[in-house]
Amino acid sequence: MKKFLLTLFLIAFMLVMAHAGYSMTLNGAGATFPYPVYAQWAYKYEKLRGVKLNYQSIGSGGGIAQIKAKTVDFGASDAPMRAEELKKYNLFQFPMIMGGVVPVIHIKGVSNEQMKLCAKVLANIFLGKIRKWNDPAIRKLNPGLALPDREITVVHRADGSGTTWIFTNYLDKISKEWHKKVGTGKAVSWPTGVGGKGNEGVSAYVQKVNGAIGYVEFAYALQNGLTTVRLENRAGRFVAPTIRSFQSAAAHADWAHAPGFYMVLTDQPGPESWPITGASFILIYRVQTRPNRARAMLTFFDWAYRHGAGIAKKLGYVPMPEKIVKLVEEAWKENLKDTQGNPLWK
Amino acid sequence: MGSAFVLPLLILGLFVALTGLSLPSIKRFGLHFIVSPAWNPVKHDFGALSSIYGTLVSTFIAMILAVPLSLAIALFQVELVPPVIGRVVGSAIELLAAIPSIIYGMWGLFVFAPFMADHVQPFLARIGGNLPLFKGPPMGIGMLTAGLILALMILPFITSVTSDVFRMVPAHLKESAYGMGSTTFEVARKITLRYGIDGVVGAGFLGLGRALGETMAVTFVIGNSHRISASLFTGANSIASTLANEFTEASDPLYLSSLVELGLILLILTVMVQILSQLWLRRMRRKTGKGM
């Protein structure tokens, strides 16, 4: 028996070694928001270059915790870390992809992009102050829609999430009451509603419950065919969630003057801008003990910047503009070193 | 011999580890943690009350439905039908017990919850009139659905143990009762049930223990909101579902340690249930040993 187990162990060990020799596997963990695009990139990249990327979408907070614990090569988060915090943990942060968070609804008879909501009404729904779909405030914005006398079921995330961070950051900016009662966070004390686990969980609840409103990353709304709404932006225009409206919001960001690439893209100006736009960030250590792995990782990110735009757009994300990619890669050269102090990226 | 010591040590170790990890939260909130309904990660204010409440209420719903039903099924199996049919029913029920809880969860969310929303909840709201228990929009998910799914999950456990106990009732006891002219109902009530009562209670505690800690199925359907509401239609949460949802994202030390303290409370609850059941069983055994 012992001998058998030993043999089994040896075989397993050899298999693992053989696999490791055959291809490199890079490990990352974090945000669920960019997971669909990271997964597609990884799939394509492995086919092209033979380098495997294993990305676990455990959530932004989890991503930060895992990179701090050094169990992964990189972490990913939708809520940017502040420059002071990055310094404290000797981490480096850069934006990888941008996208939109969209409110999704399920009301029988109301189809995609038909309903219009303004910031105040959205906040009041999530505060639990507007309780029915035929509330005068909603009717006033949607005179043409037949709105049912149905109670609103708010669906939020049950787990902590960068998507929640972006969404609550927006509500925090546009509603004083939200700011006072709830605030911004990856997990908050929701005044009303039920919680689903992950973007998938929220999508499932919204699809199941008649009269529901939730919020998901745009890709999930697209893939699941959820009903989205038009939102009033800062310029007072009602815009639909599209790649163009996300791009318009992203265009206003001044990355060059953002220390540690700390940037929040919610409630941006511009007549076309989607108000709940966000960027997703990658976190890696400034000093890399295994330069080969680190270089392979940066090569992957570089490939994704340069060749991943098509995949990203197809999934409803906004790729980083070339100007910003240059900025990021300049910062790689300056900040990322091996243990001898040599730059990792040339 | 050695393993006999390992198990208590393991439990002790669990206690020590959980207590150690929850120290920051114990220090910060003290006993107030247990009675505070707050759960606000933004303001770092945590309390266990809503989770404890959800755990107890969903378990209570499950128990009041599952215990009488399992008793009825077990008596049916043992007393009423020919042994062949009894065995078929028995193995079907044991099969139910073998289904992984995640399957119950998915079935609960995709099949059972819409059914609840379309049929059961509107019906309850109509006959319940103004009862606060059945207020609110019929979402299909929430405390009631979680309780029902839990009942379904513990039903096979309780049934299979109970029917085993009933089968062990000595035949001569039953035959004597029948010989004296008892009806089937009387035999079931006065002989089988009375003889097997300690086993029935033990089975109940087994189900209770499982219901308290059940995680995946509950997480799917309970609605996951930190709220204490009289209505069974609203979303709630249990200790286990809170842990399943929030552990990965709790990056803040106080948040994490509050979650660990929730785990500690769940452990204490389950251990208490086990101790109670042991005490009860011992008492019953002493009594029945003298009696029948």
Side-chain angles (χ1 to χ4, degrees):
Chain A
M1 188 62 195
K2 246 184 193 163
K3 220 175 191 176
F4 173 71
L5 277 178
L6 197 70
T7 326
L8 208 68
F9 175 75
L10 274 177
I11 292 173
F13 185 71
M14 266 148 66
L15 277 175
V16 169
M17 288 313 285
H19 187 76
Y22 165 67
S23 75
M24 189 187 283
T25 303
L26 300 168
N27 295 308
T32 50
F33 173 94
Y35 171 68
V37 65
Y38 289 178
Q40 288 276 317
W41 281 345
Y43 175 73
K44 186 104 187 273
Y45 192 68
E46 192 191 351
K47 271 201 197 144
L48 285 173
R49 309 268 175 100
V51 175
K52 211 171 161 161
L53 182 87
N54 169 23
Y55 182 75
Q56 305 277 335
S57 64
I58 56 173
S60 296
I64 293 175
Q66 293 301 321
I67 187 75
K68 280 183 188 167
K70 302 193 177 169
T71 51
V72 288
D73 296 309
F74 68 91
S77 170
D78 304 325
M81 278 171 90
R82 294 201 179 270
E84 313 88 75
E85 221 184 329
L86 288 169
K87 205 165 182 184
K88 191 173 146 202
Y89 293 103
N90 204 21
L91 283 168
F92 180 75
Q93 165 178 277
F94 57 89
M96 195 65 225
I97 192 86
M98 296 180 287
V101 175
V102 299
V104 288
I105 55 171
H106 177 179
I107 312 165
K108 270 189 189 132
V110 178
S111 58
N112 206 19
E113 294 176 11
Q114 263 191 343
M115 180 170 280
K116 289 182 190 168
L117 292 175
C118 67
K120 206 174 146 215
V121 168
L122 187 70
N124 281 341
I125 289 175
F126 277 85
L127 278 166
K129 283 168 75 186
I130 295 179
R131 301 197 149 270
K132 293 220 163 175
W133 280 113
N134 62 354
D135 188 278
I138 304 178
R139 273 211 307 241
K140 205 177 139 200
L141 290 169
N142 300 280
L145 279 182
L147 292 165
D149 176 31
R150 205 173 176 95
E151 277 177 83
I152 299 175
T153 301
V154 167
V155 184
H156 53 74
R157 289 284 289 268
D159 48 340
S161 149
T163 313
T164 301
W165 193 91
I166 295 169
F167 189 69
T168 52
N169 175 277
Y170 170 66
L171 293 180
D172 198 333
K173 274 184 184 168
I174 51 104
S175 159
K176 275 206 185 97
E177 196 177 344
W178 185 274
H179 178 73
K180 228 171 54 204
K181 279 192 184 157
V182 188
T184 303
K186 279 178 281 215
V188 299
S189 174
W190 294 94
T192 181
V194 294
K197 193 166 166 59
N199 274 306
E200 307 86 343
V202 172
S203 308
Y205 278 1
V206 170
Q207 279 170 316
K208 291 281 163 290
V209 179
N210 190 1
I213 182 167
Y215 59 91
V216 292
E217 201 287 308
F218 185 57
Y220 290 88
L222 267 188
Q223 278 161 18
N224 293 308
L226 298 174
T227 310
T228 58
V229 301
R230 286 165 180 270
L231 268 185
E232 189 184 29
N233 63 15
R234 229 163 100 174
R237 298 260 294 261
F238 287 93
V239 287
T242 58
I243 295 193
R244 258 194 53 209
S245 62
F246 303 155
Q247 252 164 348
S248 159
H252 289 271
D254 181 13
W255 291 97
H257 295 99
F261 291 113
Y262 182 92
M263 177 66 66
V264 180
L265 295 170
T266 53
D267 201 28
Q268 293 288 325
E272 300 285 322
S273 297
W274 177 254
I276 324 177
T277 306
S280 197
F281 299 84
I282 300 283
L283 293 162
I284 53 178
Y285 279 100
R286 279 170 180 277
V287 177
Q288 294 282 343
T289 46
R290 288 188 288 184
N292 279 338
R293 282 184 82 84
R295 239 172 255 127
M297 194 159 65
L298 293 177
T299 315
F300 168 75
F301 291 136
D302 176 62
W303 174 87
Y305 277 143
R306 287 172 204 289
H307 304 283
I311 294 175
K313 277 188 185 158
K314 212 185 277 166
L315 290 169
Y317 294 87
V318 180
M320 301 306 293
E322 210 176 315
K323 207 170 69 188
I324 297 161
V325 171
K326 250 186 208 148
L327 215 64
V328 169
E329 295 193 341
E330 282 299 318
W332 285 356
K333 277 181 212 167
E334 265 173 53
N335 293 291
L336 302 177
K337 305 276 158 70
D338 65 8
T339 41
Q340 261 95 51
N342 304 314
L344 283 168
W345 188 255
K346 280 164 198 149
Chain B
M1 260 306 271
S3 56
F5 288 105
V6 171
L7 282 175
L9 269 181
L10 216 67
I11 302 221
L12 199 73
L14 259 178
F15 261 112
V16 173
L18 286 182
T19 315
L21 286 170
S22 49
L23 269 184
S25 145
I26 295 174
K27 269 187 201 146
R28 173 77 176 270
F29 303 114
L31 279 178
H32 186 65
F33 186 75
I34 302 171
V35 292
S36 157
W39 192 267
N40 193 335
V42 179
K43 300 197 169 102
H44 306 289
D45 186 11
F46 299 101
L49 193 61
S50 68
S51 298
I52 295 175
Y53 174 82
T55 306
L56 294 182
V57 172
S58 61
T59 306
F60 179 73
I61 296 172
M63 290 301 281
I64 55 168
L65 291 172
V67 169
L69 210 57
S70 345
L71 268 184
I73 296 173
L75 283 175
F76 170 81
Q77 243 177 288
V78 177
E79 297 292 338
L80 288 178
V81 294
V84 184
I85 300 179
R87 267 199 296 278
V88 172
V89 174
S91 31
I93 283 171
E94 261 151 46
L95 209 66
L96 273 182
I99 295 175
S101 64
I102 187 106
I103 306 287
Y104 278 103
M106 287 167 73
W107 176 80
L109 178 60
F110 290 108
V111 182
F112 191 57
F115 176 75
M116 288 287 291
D118 294 338
H119 304 286
V120 181
Q121 290 185 337
F123 172 74
L124 286 175
R126 214 166 36 227
I127 60 160
N130 289 322
L131 276 179
L133 277 181
F134 306 127
K135 274 269 154 60
M139 298 181 292
I141 43 185
M143 188 77 97
L144 184 63
T145 312
L148 288 175
I149 291 274
L150 271 182
L152 197 65
M153 293 180 70
I154 61 176
L155 185 79
F157 276 91
I158 306 180
T159 311
S160 76
V161 176
T162 322
S163 58
D164 282 350
V165 170
F166 288 167
R167 278 202 193 91
M168 286 192 302
V169 177
H172 63 260
L173 277 181
K174 286 199 250 179
E175 279 156 15
S176 336
Y178 280 122
M180 288 169 73
S182 301
T183 59
T184 313
F185 179 70
E186 279 168 336
V187 172
R189 196 164 61 94
K190 294 195 172 147
I191 307 293
T192 313
L193 204 56
R194 190 166 291 175
Y195 191 89
I197 187 73
D198 60 338
V200 172
V201 173
F205 274 111
L206 199 71
L208 181 63
R210 169 146 189 180
L212 281 176
E214 176 47 46
T215 310
M216 258 1 265
V218 172
T219 308
F220 267 77
V221 294
I222 200 165
N224 305 312
S225 45
H226 294 273
R227 195 166 305 118
I228 298 172
S229 160
S231 169
L232 297 179
F233 288 2
T234 52
N237 62 358
S238 72
I239 295 178
S241 74
T242 305
L243 290 180
N245 276 319
E246 302 186 20
F247 223 95
T248 48
E249 281 283 347
S251 32
D252 170 65
L254 188 64
Y255 192 178
L256 194 67
S257 109
S258 299
L259 285 171
V260 177
E261 195 177 345
L262 273 185
L264 183 66
I265 291 172
L266 184 60
L267 183 66
I268 292 171
L269 268 177
T270 355
V271 169
M272 259 162 44
V273 166
Q274 286 309 313
I275 291 174
L276 270 179
S277 73
Q278 291 300 322
L279 287 178
W280 176 277
L281 280 181
R282 197 174 296 165
R283 222 188 88 206
M284 292 309 294
R285 227 168 268 144
R286 222 178 290 138
K287 251 166 73 182
T288 46
K290 280 181 207 145
M292 264 196 272

